[in-house]
Amino acid sequence: MEKIKRTKVVDLLKSTEYDRTVNVKGWVRTKRGNNKIAFIALNDGSVIHNIQIVVDVPGFDEEILKKITTGASVSVTGKLVKSLGKGQPVEIQAAEIEVYGTADPATYPLQKKGHSMEFLREIAHLRPRTNTFGAVLRIRHSLAFAIHKYFNDHGFFYLHTPIITGSDAEGAGEMFRVTTLDAKNPPLLENGEVNFKEDFFGKQTNLTVSGQLEAELGALALSQVYTFGPTFRAENSNTPRHLAEFWMIEPEMAFYDIHDDMDLAEDFLKYLVQYVLDHNSDDLEFLNKMFDKELIRRLQSTMETKYKRLDYTTAIGILEKSGKKFEFPVSWGVDLQAEHEKYLVEQHFKKPVILTDYPKDIKAFYMKQNDDNKTVRAMDVLFPRIGEIIGGSQREEDYDKLVRRCNEMNIPEQEMWWYIETRKYGTVPHSGFGLGFERMVLFITGMKNIRDVIPFPRTPQNAEF
RNA sequence: UCCUCCUUAGCUCAGUUGGUUAGAGCAUCUGACUGUUAAUCAGAGGGUCGUUGGUUCAAGUCCAACAGGGGGAGCCA
């Protein structure tokens, strides 16, 4: 038989050109039947659905059919026909089957039946072959693409900020050290401390915790830039919302005040949700059915509503008047705890909330100071189920105020000279925010644990795959 | 890092006040069935009860330490 080009399952299922010979390649999900007829559900990851292969058993070598078990990889050539059974539009009547790789059923860990997420994390090398991870990974891709598309279509430039950074003053958490020094025998100074002058870069370096400061440099030249890259936090965080290695999106815009910043954040989030609703409906329906019956409705409701915007001081008033007993008592000046954010978003307003103008003492040094000398132009977007999904602010563009704030917060001015100097030459008002990519995937897929929305999660005590 | 719960077959779990030979469903294997839909029906195999130590005549069951995992909290995105 002449060689026929492979067609993906996603295209075969949409095809109405019946009775033509096609070739499909993929991994067996199930085989069932008897000694006359067998049905193989084949999946190639192009779509959540399988294509059904119909096998006339007496016409095939028994040894080949024996190898076709759950997990095996095969190439099937045959006639694409309208399905005789219910449940699928088309099926393939197999004429030729080649087995690429077998999967011993006695040891292959993936069964036809569902597995717990905890078990699947232990077999991260195989879990992409499940329906759930296929759906999550396709949605993750869609979201990444939509992010680039949104910014590209809005005149932003993709700026690549460094992954290895020489500054440790960003204040966004513990950092991973990057070094080529011998851990057992490092060069020492006379006082016994490690001599980092002999290290690869001639100074202490770390993995980045944020590309924001560098993104600001880009915005102060290109007007609108964004970063989309990996970030690293060496915090000992063991929660369903934290990773040691995660991806972050950080747009930074010159000539934007905090209101422009909030407008962009809200429009951006809605665009991403709508993009996935439009392009991944099969995967969303699967997740909605299997994991989270409210998922699609919740996504749609965040599209329809306008996010509630209010300042920190007003929010504190609402919490104080709520009459609720919080584990952490509320008063002006405290940082909002998860329980407080949950109350505001899920009980009081019942919609996403954008909180602004936080006390300066609980926020970073680079945020623009308000005239009240108490608060800064920060804005956090709080989502149901997730909590803080975006953190952003208008940046302090005044040279003297920024230097004063650095001194107050013990930020080493000499290390940050390049950042501070942008306020000396052609400074402009500007703003930006950071979106945790995995938290967005978490929200859109309805998954419950952030370890299940990234292919290879990095968490404390876990870097197996 | 703190609090809390869990660890029994390949997977998901049950296992009584400590008491003979540790159970189920699914998966796997064998057989039956001419169109199945996470097929169905019948049968079979499969366990050092996370590890180490202790209490006891006797430990899957009680105690301790350690390891791994879940949930909550903090840190944050």
Side-chain angles (χ1 to χ4, degrees), chain A residues 32 52 84 86 91 111-114 121 233 236-237 239 242 337 439:
Chain A
R32 53 183 171 265
Q52 174 156 284
L84 297 178
K86 283 175 192 152
E91 62 194 22
Q111 307 167 174
K112 302 176 197 181
K113 294 272 175 179
R121 272 171 227 151
R233 306 272 166 96
N236 191 6
S237 297
T239 85
H242 291 86
Q337 302 296 323
R439 288 200 180 163

Short mmCIF file of all heavy atoms in Angstrom, two decimals, chain A residues 32 52 84 86 91 111-114 121 233 236-237 239 242 337 439, chain B residues 1 10 12 26 33 35-39 70-72 74-77:
data_model
loop_
_atom_site.label_atom_id
_atom_site.label_comp_id
_atom_site.label_asym_id
_atom_site.label_seq_id
_atom_site.Cartn_x
_atom_site.Cartn_y
_atom_site.Cartn_z
N ARG A 32 -11.48 -2.41 23.06
CA ARG A 32 -12.53 -3.29 23.55
C ARG A 32 -13.11 -4.04 22.36
O ARG A 32 -12.86 -3.67 21.21
CB ARG A 32 -13.61 -2.50 24.29
CG ARG A 32 -14.15 -1.36 23.48
CD ARG A 32 -15.16 -0.51 24.22
NE ARG A 32 -15.43 0.66 23.40
CZ ARG A 32 -14.80 1.83 23.54
NH1 ARG A 32 -13.91 1.99 24.50
NH2 ARG A 32 -15.08 2.83 22.74
N GLN A 52 -12.10 6.73 16.76
CA GLN A 52 -12.35 5.30 16.92
C GLN A 52 -11.83 4.53 15.71
O GLN A 52 -12.18 4.84 14.57
CB GLN A 52 -13.85 5.06 17.10
CG GLN A 52 -14.22 3.59 17.12
CD GLN A 52 -15.52 3.32 17.85
OE1 GLN A 52 -15.58 3.33 19.07
NE2 GLN A 52 -16.58 3.11 17.11
N LEU A 84 -20.73 4.10 12.30
CA LEU A 84 -21.94 3.27 12.39
C LEU A 84 -22.53 3.33 13.79
O LEU A 84 -23.72 3.16 13.98
CB LEU A 84 -21.60 1.82 12.03
CG LEU A 84 -21.10 1.57 10.61
CD1 LEU A 84 -20.75 0.10 10.42
CD2 LEU A 84 -22.12 2.01 9.58
N LYS A 86 -22.97 5.23 17.73
CA LYS A 86 -23.20 6.58 18.23
C LYS A 86 -21.99 7.02 19.05
O LYS A 86 -21.22 6.21 19.50
CB LYS A 86 -24.45 6.62 19.11
CG LYS A 86 -25.73 6.60 18.27
CD LYS A 86 -26.96 6.51 19.17
CE LYS A 86 -28.19 6.20 18.32
NZ LYS A 86 -29.21 5.47 19.07
N GLU A 91 -15.24 7.36 11.96
CA GLU A 91 -14.34 6.34 12.48
C GLU A 91 -13.49 5.82 11.33
O GLU A 91 -13.76 6.13 10.16
CB GLU A 91 -15.13 5.21 13.15
CG GLU A 91 -16.05 4.46 12.20
CD GLU A 91 -17.06 3.57 12.93
OE1 GLU A 91 -17.34 3.83 14.12
OE2 GLU A 91 -17.57 2.63 12.29
N GLN A 111 -4.31 3.90 33.67
CA GLN A 111 -5.42 3.01 33.37
C GLN A 111 -6.50 3.78 32.62
O GLN A 111 -6.42 4.97 32.45
CB GLN A 111 -6.03 2.47 34.67
CG GLN A 111 -5.05 1.85 35.59
CD GLN A 111 -5.61 1.61 36.98
OE1 GLN A 111 -4.99 1.02 37.81
NE2 GLN A 111 -6.84 2.11 37.21
N LYS A 112 -7.50 3.02 32.21
CA LYS A 112 -8.64 3.68 31.57
C LYS A 112 -9.37 4.56 32.58
O LYS A 112 -9.90 5.59 32.25
CB LYS A 112 -9.62 2.64 31.05
CG LYS A 112 -9.03 1.68 30.06
CD LYS A 112 -10.09 0.64 29.69
CE LYS A 112 -9.45 -0.57 29.04
NZ LYS A 112 -10.45 -1.55 28.65
N LYS A 113 -9.42 4.09 33.82
CA LYS A 113 -10.15 4.83 34.85
C LYS A 113 -9.33 6.01 35.33
O LYS A 113 -8.12 6.06 35.16
CB LYS A 113 -10.46 3.90 36.02
CG LYS A 113 -11.41 2.79 35.66
CD LYS A 113 -12.84 3.23 35.85
CE LYS A 113 -13.79 2.15 35.36
NZ LYS A 113 -15.18 2.50 35.55
N GLY A 114 -10.00 6.91 35.99
CA GLY A 114 -9.33 8.12 36.45
C GLY A 114 -8.33 7.86 37.56
O GLY A 114 -8.40 6.87 38.26
N ARG A 121 1.03 13.30 39.86
CA ARG A 121 2.23 14.11 40.09
C ARG A 121 3.46 13.23 40.23
O ARG A 121 4.58 13.66 39.93
CB ARG A 121 2.07 14.94 41.37
CG ARG A 121 1.43 16.28 41.13
CD ARG A 121 1.09 16.99 42.43
NE ARG A 121 -0.27 17.49 42.35
CZ ARG A 121 -1.09 17.67 43.35
NH1 ARG A 121 -0.71 17.37 44.58
NH2 ARG A 121 -2.30 18.11 43.15
N ARG A 233 11.54 31.82 43.10
CA ARG A 233 11.48 32.25 44.49
C ARG A 233 11.91 31.09 45.37
O ARG A 233 11.34 30.00 45.28
CB ARG A 233 10.05 32.66 44.87
CG ARG A 233 9.41 33.72 43.95
CD ARG A 233 9.72 35.14 44.38
NE ARG A 233 9.38 36.09 43.32
CZ ARG A 233 8.23 36.76 43.24
NH1 ARG A 233 7.31 36.60 44.16
NH2 ARG A 233 8.01 37.61 42.25
N ASN A 236 10.22 28.84 51.23
CA ASN A 236 9.74 27.52 51.61
C ASN A 236 8.21 27.55 51.70
O ASN A 236 7.62 27.41 52.77
CB ASN A 236 10.35 27.11 52.94
CG ASN A 236 10.11 25.65 53.24
OD1 ASN A 236 9.58 24.91 52.40
ND2 ASN A 236 10.49 25.22 54.43
N SER A 237 7.60 27.74 50.54
CA SER A 237 6.14 27.84 50.48
C SER A 237 5.55 26.51 50.06
O SER A 237 5.87 25.99 49.01
CB SER A 237 5.71 28.90 49.45
OG SER A 237 6.18 30.16 49.82
N THR A 239 2.05 25.42 49.41
CA THR A 239 0.62 25.71 49.27
C THR A 239 0.20 25.35 47.85
O THR A 239 1.04 25.18 46.97
CB THR A 239 0.32 27.21 49.49
OG1 THR A 239 0.52 27.90 48.26
CG2 THR A 239 1.19 27.81 50.57
N HIS A 242 1.60 28.24 45.18
CA HIS A 242 2.99 28.70 45.05
C HIS A 242 3.89 27.69 44.38
O HIS A 242 3.79 26.49 44.64
CB HIS A 242 3.57 29.03 46.43
CG HIS A 242 2.96 30.23 47.07
ND1 HIS A 242 1.81 30.15 47.80
CD2 HIS A 242 3.32 31.53 47.07
CE1 HIS A 242 1.49 31.36 48.24
NE2 HIS A 242 2.39 32.22 47.81
N GLN A 337 -5.01 39.88 54.84
CA GLN A 337 -4.75 38.45 54.85
C GLN A 337 -5.69 37.76 53.87
O GLN A 337 -6.69 38.35 53.43
CB GLN A 337 -4.95 37.89 56.26
CG GLN A 337 -4.08 38.54 57.31
CD GLN A 337 -2.59 38.30 57.08
OE1 GLN A 337 -2.20 37.22 56.66
NE2 GLN A 337 -1.79 39.31 57.33
N ARG A 439 -1.19 31.12 38.04
CA ARG A 439 -2.42 31.45 38.77
C ARG A 439 -3.55 31.73 37.79
O ARG A 439 -4.72 31.43 38.05
CB ARG A 439 -2.20 32.64 39.70
CG ARG A 439 -1.35 32.25 40.87
CD ARG A 439 -1.47 33.19 42.03
NE ARG A 439 -0.62 32.74 43.11
CZ ARG A 439 -0.25 33.49 44.13
NH1 ARG A 439 -0.65 34.75 44.20
NH2 ARG A 439 0.52 33.00 45.08
P U B 1 11.64 23.59 56.86
OP1 U B 1 12.26 24.37 55.81
OP2 U B 1 12.41 22.77 57.78
"O5'" U B 1 10.75 24.57 57.75
"C5'" U B 1 11.36 25.41 58.73
"C4'" U B 1 10.36 26.39 59.25
"O4'" U B 1 9.84 27.18 58.15
"C3'" U B 1 9.11 25.78 59.88
"O3'" U B 1 9.34 25.37 61.21
"C2'" U B 1 8.11 26.92 59.76
"O2'" U B 1 8.33 27.88 60.75
"C1'" U B 1 8.47 27.53 58.40
N1 U B 1 7.62 27.01 57.30
C2 U B 1 6.34 27.52 57.21
O2 U B 1 5.91 28.34 57.98
N3 U B 1 5.59 27.02 56.17
C4 U B 1 5.98 26.08 55.24
O4 U B 1 5.19 25.73 54.37
C5 U B 1 7.32 25.59 55.41
C6 U B 1 8.08 26.07 56.41
P G B 10 0.96 -3.63 44.21
OP1 G B 10 1.50 -4.81 43.51
OP2 G B 10 1.71 -2.98 45.30
"O5'" G B 10 0.63 -2.52 43.12
"C5'" G B 10 1.68 -1.85 42.40
"C4'" G B 10 1.04 -1.04 41.31
"O4'" G B 10 0.38 -1.96 40.40
"C3'" G B 10 -0.05 -0.09 41.78
"O3'" G B 10 0.48 1.17 42.12
"C2'" G B 10 -0.99 -0.02 40.59
"O2'" G B 10 -0.49 0.86 39.62
"C1'" G B 10 -0.89 -1.46 40.05
N9 G B 10 -1.90 -2.36 40.61
C8 G B 10 -1.65 -3.52 41.28
N7 G B 10 -2.74 -4.15 41.65
C5 G B 10 -3.76 -3.34 41.20
C6 G B 10 -5.17 -3.50 41.30
O6 G B 10 -5.79 -4.41 41.85
N1 G B 10 -5.85 -2.45 40.71
C2 G B 10 -5.26 -1.38 40.09
N2 G B 10 -6.08 -0.48 39.58
N3 G B 10 -3.95 -1.21 39.98
C4 G B 10 -3.27 -2.23 40.55
P U B 12 -3.99 6.18 44.33
OP1 U B 12 -3.77 7.63 44.27
OP2 U B 12 -3.23 5.34 45.27
"O5'" U B 12 -5.54 5.90 44.57
"C5'" U B 12 -6.53 6.70 43.92
"C4'" U B 12 -7.90 6.28 44.38
"O4'" U B 12 -8.17 4.92 43.94
"C3'" U B 12 -8.09 6.21 45.89
"O3'" U B 12 -8.31 7.49 46.46
"C2'" U B 12 -9.30 5.28 46.01
"O2'" U B 12 -10.50 5.96 45.70
"C1'" U B 12 -9.01 4.27 44.88
N1 U B 12 -8.32 3.06 45.39
C2 U B 12 -9.12 2.04 45.87
O2 U B 12 -10.34 2.12 45.90
N3 U B 12 -8.45 0.94 46.32
C4 U B 12 -7.09 0.75 46.35
O4 U B 12 -6.62 -0.29 46.79
C5 U B 12 -6.32 1.86 45.83
C6 U B 12 -6.95 2.94 45.38
P C B 26 -15.55 -4.01 39.49
OP1 C B 26 -16.65 -3.98 38.51
OP2 C B 26 -14.94 -5.30 39.88
"O5'" C B 26 -14.38 -3.05 38.98
"C5'" C B 26 -14.68 -1.78 38.41
"C4'" C B 26 -13.43 -0.94 38.30
"O4'" C B 26 -12.79 -0.85 39.61
"C3'" C B 26 -12.33 -1.50 37.41
"O3'" C B 26 -12.57 -1.28 36.03
"C2'" C B 26 -11.13 -0.71 37.92
"O2'" C B 26 -11.16 0.63 37.46
"C1'" C B 26 -11.39 -0.72 39.43
N1 C B 26 -10.70 -1.87 40.06
C2 C B 26 -9.32 -1.74 40.30
O2 C B 26 -8.77 -0.68 40.00
N3 C B 26 -8.65 -2.78 40.84
C4 C B 26 -9.30 -3.91 41.15
N4 C B 26 -8.58 -4.90 41.67
C5 C B 26 -10.69 -4.07 40.91
C6 C B 26 -11.35 -3.03 40.37
P C B 33 -18.23 -17.20 22.13
OP1 C B 33 -18.95 -18.22 21.32
OP2 C B 33 -16.83 -16.90 21.84
"O5'" C B 33 -19.06 -15.85 22.07
"C5'" C B 33 -20.45 -15.85 22.35
"C4'" C B 33 -20.94 -14.43 22.52
"O4'" C B 33 -20.27 -13.82 23.66
"C3'" C B 33 -20.60 -13.48 21.36
"O3'" C B 33 -21.53 -13.60 20.31
"C2'" C B 33 -20.66 -12.13 22.05
"O2'" C B 33 -21.99 -11.68 22.20
"C1'" C B 33 -20.08 -12.45 23.43
N1 C B 33 -18.64 -12.14 23.52
C2 C B 33 -18.24 -10.86 23.94
O2 C B 33 -19.11 -10.03 24.22
N3 C B 33 -16.93 -10.57 24.02
C4 C B 33 -16.01 -11.48 23.70
N4 C B 33 -14.74 -11.15 23.78
C5 C B 33 -16.39 -12.79 23.26
C6 C B 33 -17.69 -13.07 23.19
P G B 35 -22.19 -7.32 19.04
OP1 G B 35 -21.27 -7.65 20.14
OP2 G B 35 -23.63 -7.48 19.24
"O5'" G B 35 -21.93 -5.83 18.56
"C5'" G B 35 -20.65 -5.24 18.72
"C4'" G B 35 -20.84 -3.75 18.62
"O4'" G B 35 -20.10 -3.25 17.47
"C3'" G B 35 -22.29 -3.32 18.44
"O3'" G B 35 -22.46 -2.09 19.11
"C2'" G B 35 -22.37 -3.08 16.94
"O2'" G B 35 -23.38 -2.17 16.57
"C1'" G B 35 -20.98 -2.49 16.69
N9 G B 35 -20.50 -2.51 15.30
C8 G B 35 -20.54 -3.53 14.40
N7 G B 35 -20.01 -3.20 13.25
C5 G B 35 -19.62 -1.88 13.41
C6 G B 35 -18.99 -0.99 12.51
O6 G B 35 -18.63 -1.19 11.36
N1 G B 35 -18.78 0.25 13.09
C2 G B 35 -19.13 0.59 14.36
N2 G B 35 -18.86 1.82 14.74
N3 G B 35 -19.71 -0.24 15.22
C4 G B 35 -19.92 -1.44 14.67
P U B 36 -23.35 -1.99 20.44
OP1 U B 36 -23.99 -3.29 20.74
OP2 U B 36 -24.18 -0.77 20.31
"O5'" U B 36 -22.25 -1.68 21.57
"C5'" U B 36 -21.66 -2.76 22.29
"C4'" U B 36 -20.24 -2.39 22.60
"O4'" U B 36 -19.51 -2.25 21.36
"C3'" U B 36 -20.06 -1.05 23.30
"O3'" U B 36 -20.25 -1.16 24.68
"C2'" U B 36 -18.62 -0.71 22.94
"O2'" U B 36 -17.72 -1.42 23.76
"C1'" U B 36 -18.49 -1.26 21.52
N1 U B 36 -18.66 -0.23 20.48
C2 U B 36 -17.62 0.66 20.31
O2 U B 36 -16.61 0.63 20.99
N3 U B 36 -17.80 1.58 19.31
C4 U B 36 -18.90 1.70 18.49
O4 U B 36 -18.91 2.58 17.64
C5 U B 36 -19.94 0.74 18.73
C6 U B 36 -19.78 -0.17 19.69
P U B 37 -20.91 0.02 25.48
OP1 U B 37 -20.96 -0.39 26.89
OP2 U B 37 -22.15 0.40 24.77
"O5'" U B 37 -19.90 1.22 25.30
"C5'" U B 37 -18.88 1.47 26.26
"C4'" U B 37 -18.10 2.70 25.84
"O4'" U B 37 -18.02 2.76 24.41
"C3'" U B 37 -18.73 4.02 26.30
"O3'" U B 37 -17.70 4.91 26.65
"C2'" U B 37 -19.43 4.51 25.05
"O2'" U B 37 -19.54 5.90 24.98
"C1'" U B 37 -18.47 4.02 23.95
N1 U B 37 -19.16 3.89 22.67
C2 U B 37 -18.71 4.65 21.61
O2 U B 37 -17.75 5.39 21.69
N3 U B 37 -19.43 4.52 20.45
C4 U B 37 -20.52 3.71 20.26
O4 U B 37 -21.06 3.69 19.17
C5 U B 37 -20.93 2.95 21.41
C6 U B 37 -20.25 3.06 22.55
P A B 38 -17.86 5.87 27.86
OP1 A B 38 -18.90 5.57 28.86
OP2 A B 38 -17.93 7.17 27.16
"O5'" A B 38 -16.46 5.76 28.56
"C5'" A B 38 -15.30 5.51 27.79
"C4'" A B 38 -14.36 4.64 28.58
"O4'" A B 38 -13.89 5.38 29.73
"C3'" A B 38 -15.02 3.37 29.12
"O3'" A B 38 -14.06 2.31 29.12
"C2'" A B 38 -15.34 3.72 30.56
"O2'" A B 38 -15.36 2.61 31.43
"C1'" A B 38 -14.17 4.63 30.91
N9 A B 38 -14.45 5.56 31.99
C8 A B 38 -15.65 6.05 32.39
N7 A B 38 -15.57 6.87 33.40
C5 A B 38 -14.22 6.93 33.68
C6 A B 38 -13.47 7.61 34.63
N6 A B 38 -14.02 8.41 35.54
N1 A B 38 -12.15 7.43 34.65
C2 A B 38 -11.61 6.62 33.74
N3 A B 38 -12.21 5.93 32.79
C4 A B 38 -13.52 6.13 32.82
P A B 39 -14.15 1.32 27.92
OP1 A B 39 -13.26 0.16 28.14
OP2 A B 39 -14.04 2.12 26.71
"O5'" A B 39 -15.67 0.82 28.01
"C5'" A B 39 -16.00 -0.28 28.81
"C4'" A B 39 -17.41 -0.66 28.51
"O4'" A B 39 -17.52 -1.14 27.14
"C3'" A B 39 -17.96 -1.82 29.33
"O3'" A B 39 -18.39 -1.38 30.60
"C2'" A B 39 -19.11 -2.31 28.45
"O2'" A B 39 -20.22 -1.47 28.56
"C1'" A B 39 -18.49 -2.15 27.06
N9 A B 39 -17.85 -3.39 26.61
C8 A B 39 -16.51 -3.65 26.49
N7 A B 39 -16.25 -4.86 26.06
C5 A B 39 -17.49 -5.43 25.87
C6 A B 39 -17.90 -6.69 25.43
N6 A B 39 -17.05 -7.65 25.07
N1 A B 39 -19.23 -6.92 25.36
C2 A B 39 -20.08 -5.97 25.72
N3 A B 39 -19.81 -4.74 26.16
C4 A B 39 -18.49 -4.53 26.20
P G B 70 1.38 17.18 47.87
OP1 G B 70 1.16 17.69 46.51
OP2 G B 70 2.34 17.86 48.77
"O5'" G B 70 -0.02 17.12 48.63
"C5'" G B 70 -1.14 16.52 47.99
"C4'" G B 70 -2.32 16.50 48.93
"O4'" G B 70 -1.98 15.78 50.13
"C3'" G B 70 -2.77 17.85 49.44
"O3'" G B 70 -3.55 18.55 48.49
"C2'" G B 70 -3.59 17.44 50.66
"O2'" G B 70 -4.84 16.91 50.28
"C1'" G B 70 -2.72 16.31 51.22
N9 G B 70 -1.80 16.79 52.25
C8 G B 70 -0.43 16.92 52.17
N7 G B 70 0.12 17.38 53.27
C5 G B 70 -0.95 17.55 54.13
C6 G B 70 -0.98 18.01 55.47
O6 G B 70 -0.04 18.36 56.19
N1 G B 70 -2.28 18.05 55.97
C2 G B 70 -3.40 17.68 55.27
N2 G B 70 -4.57 17.78 55.91
N3 G B 70 -3.39 17.23 54.02
C4 G B 70 -2.14 17.19 53.52
P G B 71 -3.51 20.17 48.45
OP1 G B 71 -4.31 20.58 47.28
OP2 G B 71 -2.12 20.64 48.60
"O5'" G B 71 -4.30 20.56 49.78
"C5'" G B 71 -5.70 20.34 49.88
"C4'" G B 71 -6.19 20.67 51.26
"O4'" G B 71 -5.52 19.82 52.23
"C3'" G B 71 -5.87 22.07 51.75
"O3'" G B 71 -6.76 23.05 51.25
"C2'" G B 71 -5.98 21.90 53.26
"O2'" G B 71 -7.34 21.82 53.66
"C1'" G B 71 -5.33 20.52 53.44
N9 G B 71 -3.89 20.66 53.69
C8 G B 71 -2.86 20.44 52.81
N7 G B 71 -1.68 20.66 53.32
C5 G B 71 -1.95 21.04 54.64
C6 G B 71 -1.07 21.39 55.69
O6 G B 71 0.17 21.44 55.68
N1 G B 71 -1.76 21.72 56.85
C2 G B 71 -3.12 21.70 56.98
N2 G B 71 -3.60 22.05 58.18
N3 G B 71 -3.96 21.37 56.01
C4 G B 71 -3.31 21.04 54.87
P G B 72 -6.25 24.56 51.04
OP1 G B 72 -7.36 25.29 50.39
OP2 G B 72 -4.91 24.53 50.39
"O5'" G B 72 -6.07 25.09 52.52
"C5'" G B 72 -7.20 25.31 53.35
"C4'" G B 72 -6.77 25.73 54.72
"O4'" G B 72 -5.99 24.67 55.34
"C3'" G B 72 -5.85 26.92 54.80
"O3'" G B 72 -6.51 28.16 54.63
"C2'" G B 72 -5.26 26.75 56.20
"O2'" G B 72 -6.20 27.10 57.18
"C1'" G B 72 -5.03 25.24 56.22
N9 G B 72 -3.68 24.94 55.74
C8 G B 72 -3.31 24.46 54.51
N7 G B 72 -2.01 24.31 54.39
C5 G B 72 -1.50 24.72 55.61
C6 G B 72 -0.17 24.79 56.07
O6 G B 72 0.87 24.50 55.48
N1 G B 72 -0.10 25.29 57.38
C2 G B 72 -1.18 25.66 58.13
N2 G B 72 -0.93 26.11 59.36
N3 G B 72 -2.44 25.59 57.72
C4 G B 72 -2.52 25.12 56.45
P G B 74 -2.46 33.77 55.44
OP1 G B 74 -3.13 35.07 55.65
OP2 G B 74 -2.54 33.11 54.12
"O5'" G B 74 -0.93 33.90 55.83
"C5'" G B 74 -0.54 34.48 57.07
"C4'" G B 74 0.95 34.31 57.25
"O4'" G B 74 1.27 32.91 57.24
"C3'" G B 74 1.80 34.90 56.13
"O3'" G B 74 2.04 36.27 56.34
"C2'" G B 74 3.07 34.07 56.21
"O2'" G B 74 3.91 34.52 57.24
"C1'" G B 74 2.51 32.70 56.59
N9 G B 74 2.28 31.87 55.39
C8 G B 74 1.10 31.73 54.68
N7 G B 74 1.22 30.91 53.66
C5 G B 74 2.54 30.50 53.70
C6 G B 74 3.25 29.61 52.85
O6 G B 74 2.83 29.01 51.86
N1 G B 74 4.59 29.48 53.25
C2 G B 74 5.15 30.12 54.33
N2 G B 74 6.43 29.87 54.56
N3 G B 74 4.49 30.94 55.14
C4 G B 74 3.20 31.08 54.76
P C B 75 1.98 37.27 55.06
OP1 C B 75 2.16 38.64 55.58
OP2 C B 75 0.78 36.94 54.26
"O5'" C B 75 3.26 36.87 54.21
"C5'" C B 75 4.56 37.11 54.71
"C4'" C B 75 5.58 36.49 53.79
"O4'" C B 75 5.37 35.06 53.75
"C3'" C B 75 5.47 36.92 52.33
"O3'" C B 75 6.12 38.15 52.09
"C2'" C B 75 6.14 35.76 51.60
"O2'" C B 75 7.53 35.89 51.63
"C1'" C B 75 5.73 34.56 52.48
N1 C B 75 4.58 33.83 51.91
C2 C B 75 4.84 32.68 51.17
O2 C B 75 6.01 32.31 51.05
N3 C B 75 3.81 31.99 50.63
C4 C B 75 2.56 32.42 50.78
N4 C B 75 1.58 31.72 50.24
C5 C B 75 2.27 33.61 51.53
C6 C B 75 3.29 34.27 52.06
P C B 76 5.29 39.35 51.38
OP1 C B 76 6.32 40.34 51.01
OP2 C B 76 4.13 39.74 52.19
"O5'" C B 76 4.73 38.69 50.06
"C5'" C B 76 5.11 39.20 48.80
"C4'" C B 76 5.16 38.07 47.82
"O4'" C B 76 4.60 36.90 48.44
"C3'" C B 76 4.32 38.26 46.56
"O3'" C B 76 5.07 38.95 45.58
"C2'" C B 76 3.98 36.84 46.16
"O2'" C B 76 5.07 36.26 45.49
"C1'" C B 76 3.84 36.15 47.52
N1 C B 76 2.46 36.03 48.03
C2 C B 76 1.51 35.25 47.35
O2 C B 76 1.84 34.71 46.28
N3 C B 76 0.27 35.11 47.87
C4 C B 76 -0.05 35.69 49.03
N4 C B 76 -1.27 35.51 49.51
C5 C B 76 0.90 36.51 49.74
C6 C B 76 2.12 36.64 49.21
P A B 77 4.21 39.83 44.47
OP1 A B 77 5.19 40.73 43.83
OP2 A B 77 3.03 40.40 45.13
"O5'" A B 77 3.70 38.80 43.37
"C5'" A B 77 3.41 39.25 42.07
"C4'" A B 77 2.50 38.29 41.35
"O4'" A B 77 3.17 37.01 41.21
"C3'" A B 77 1.18 38.03 42.06
"O3'" A B 77 0.15 37.87 41.13
"C2'" A B 77 1.42 36.70 42.76
"O2'" A B 77 0.27 35.94 42.94
"C1'" A B 77 2.39 36.01 41.79
N9 A B 77 3.29 35.09 42.50
C8 A B 77 4.19 35.41 43.48
N7 A B 77 4.87 34.38 43.93
C5 A B 77 4.40 33.32 43.20
C6 A B 77 4.72 31.95 43.21
N6 A B 77 5.65 31.43 44.01
N1 A B 77 4.07 31.14 42.36
C2 A B 77 3.16 31.68 41.56
N3 A B 77 2.75 32.95 41.46
C4 A B 77 3.42 33.74 42.31
#
